[in-house]
Amino acid sequence: MEAFCCALAVAGFFGFNLAIDPPEETRPVVPYWGEKFGTKQCIRLLAEDRFKPYVDKEGDPIEGFEVSESGRWFKIASQYYPTYLVFDYDPSTGELTMVDGAKVYVGGRADNEQIKRALEEYINGAKAFQIDNEYHLDITPDECAWAFEKCAGGNYKELAKADWDEFRYIWELTISNLAVKVLTPAESEEHAKALENADFAGDTIFTRALLDKEIQVIADAISSGSINDIEKWFQLDSYKSEICVSNGIKILKAMGYPNNSMGTPFLFDCLRDIQKPYFMDAVLTLEKLPYHYLIAIIEQYVEKTHATEDVLWGAGLIYLSKRIGYEISLERKEQSYQCGTI
């Protein structure tokens, strides 16, 4: 009997469906996704992270609501949720909509008004497909499920081992494509005109993954002078969501050299972490710059990595240099250290 109760507790702990309503202490610690991913995978993923209290936009820490340092998880009371796999939060019902369309009630202290407001800010604050400043296209759970099937093929075990930020970026593009396809010709024209407006375009690049044709509209508007004063677009800390950083990178790529040279520092900032979903987009954009112009700037950033001992950023610079067939001084210095000549 004791072994049976222990098994029940473990199953409930990681989100497996039970025939009875479990007591508070055995409710799933990883709701829904624990069942999809399996116990061992959940333990491994959570063991890799540390958590800290969520701080709202007013600068106040929220008791009972924590986020992981990696940004992959958030925690309400004793329950954990994968951030990039949550699409929407409805404070009126207390339900989260997952990227596969499933709806999951947030347990624990989610009835706390402060937590509800913070959760809505965290989940919904940077998610809105807008056609213009007044029109919002709602994404249904069925559409989420369709996009999930298209991106993941229903393979939850593979998703458990994937880069969720990269997956979410692909999923967002799929959702955006779906949304654009259902626009009427008049709405499409209105949408294109709206993207030529600096305020609207500025809001849009920070809120969702843009399609290539939308990127081109914005890039053309910048090149023609219709949009200006865009310095903050090319500052990494302007982006609340890593998913949207590639918008800025792709705009620079579409603008081409030399029009995009003012965004070069932003592109090099995007090389600071080779694990970020936007890293490769930045590399592909930088390698299109003129060779001698690019290597001169690479060496400037090599000096920064030497001074700060930023190994991860150095790895990004080495990767870029190898792509363009150049051996940077950082590599030469590392080899000298290994040979004992310095």
Side-chain angles (χ1 to χ4, degrees):
M1 183 63 180
E2 183 178 351
F4 174 74
C5 291
C6 182
L8 264 184
V10 171
F13 189 80
F14 283 99
F16 295 101
N17 291 327
L18 301 176
I20 59 174
D21 186 26
E24 183 69 29
E25 63 271 15
T26 59
R27 287 178 184 172
V29 166
V30 184
Y32 185 68
W33 296 104
E35 180 179 358
K36 297 296 185 181
F37 292 162
T39 302
K40 289 183 179 179
Q41 184 67 4
C42 287
I43 292 173
R44 185 184 70 80
L45 291 170
L46 286 170
E48 295 174 353
D49 245 325
R50 295 181 179 181
F51 288 78
K52 57 186 178 182
Y54 174 71
V55 178
D56 66 16
K57 60 184 179 181
E58 304 299 328
D60 298 323
I62 307 301
E63 184 180 352
F65 182 18
E66 298 181 3
V67 294
S68 70
E69 291 181 351
S70 71
R72 289 166 62 90
W73 297 89
F74 65 92
K75 177 185 177 184
I76 303 293
S78 60
Q79 296 184 307
Y80 297 81
Y81 302 86
T83 304
Y84 290 114
L85 304 184
V86 177
F87 171 63
D88 183 61
Y89 169 63
D90 185 347
S92 66
T93 63
E95 288 180 320
L96 297 169
T97 301
M98 304 302 178
V99 291
D100 65 350
K103 286 187 175 293
V104 177
Y105 176 72
V106 185
R109 300 177 57 189
D111 289 336
N112 179 291
E113 288 300 320
Q114 189 180 38
I115 291 180
K116 286 172 67 174
R117 287 193 300 271
L119 189 56
E120 186 171 18
E121 174 184 296
Y122 182 66
I123 298 297
N124 299 348
K127 177 190 62 59
F129 183 86
Q130 296 176 318
I131 303 307
D132 57 32
N133 290 327
E134 298 178 355
Y135 180 75
H136 171 71
L137 184 63
D138 292 320
I139 305 300
T140 68
D142 285 344
E143 288 167 336
C144 289
W146 177 85
F148 181 83
E149 182 66 27
K150 191 170 180 64
C151 296
N155 193 329
Y156 290 91
K157 297 301 182 184
E158 286 301 313
L159 178 61
K161 295 180 268 184
D163 289 332
W164 295 342
D165 46 6
E166 182 178 355
F167 169 81
R168 179 59 180 263
Y169 179 68
I170 297 170
W171 185 89
E172 290 278 351
L173 284 178
T174 305
I175 285 290
S176 288
N177 241 322
L178 176 65
V180 168
K181 283 180 179 178
V182 301
L183 298 182
T184 66
E187 288 172 338
S188 294
E189 183 178 355
E190 181 183 23
H191 182 45
K193 288 181 179 178
L195 288 173
E196 294 174 353
N197 176 275
D199 290 336
F200 177 73
D203 289 339
T204 304
I205 68 166
F206 295 124
T207 58
R208 65 179 178 84
L210 297 178
L211 304 176
D212 287 345
K213 59 184 178 181
E214 295 174 305
I215 292 288
Q216 193 61 56
V217 169
I218 295 173
D220 289 345
I222 295 171
S223 297
S224 69
S226 299
I227 294 179
N228 45 47
D229 297 328
I230 54 173
E231 288 80 5
K232 72 171 185 176
W233 291 15
F234 306 118
Q235 296 172 8
L236 197 54
D237 58 6
S238 293
Y239 292 84
K240 294 181 180 179
S241 170
E242 293 180 350
I243 293 167
C244 296
V245 174
S246 283
N247 290 333
I249 297 172
K250 290 181 177 180
I251 288 171
L252 291 171
K253 184 177 182 181
M255 289 170 62
Y257 181 82
N259 292 339
N260 64 3
S261 57
M262 50 52 170
T264 303
F266 168 70
L267 294 172
F268 274 91
D269 274 349
C270 292
L271 301 184
R272 287 177 177 270
D273 189 341
I274 60 177
Q275 296 182 333
K276 295 298 184 183
Y278 49 77
F279 172 82
M280 200 62 209
D281 282 333
V283 169
L284 294 174
T285 302
L286 282 167
E287 69 180 16
K288 296 295 183 182
L289 299 178
Y291 182 79
H292 292 292
Y293 168 79
L294 181 57
I295 61 174
I297 301 176
I298 287 176
E299 288 296 347
Q300 291 176 19
Y301 280 91
V302 166
E303 292 303 316
K304 290 186 178 182
T305 60
H306 282 164
T308 60
E309 298 183 351
D310 192 331
V311 177
L312 200 55
W313 200 2
L317 294 174
I318 290 173
Y319 182 82
L320 171 63
S321 71
K322 288 182 177 179
R323 293 272 303 191
I324 64 173
Y326 174 67
E327 183 185 358
I328 63 176
S329 60
L330 182 62
E331 291 180 281
R332 294 194 294 270
K333 189 166 185 176
E334 285 179 348
Q335 290 169 1
S336 297
Y337 272 122
Q338 291 171 2
C339 294
T341 58
I342 293 182

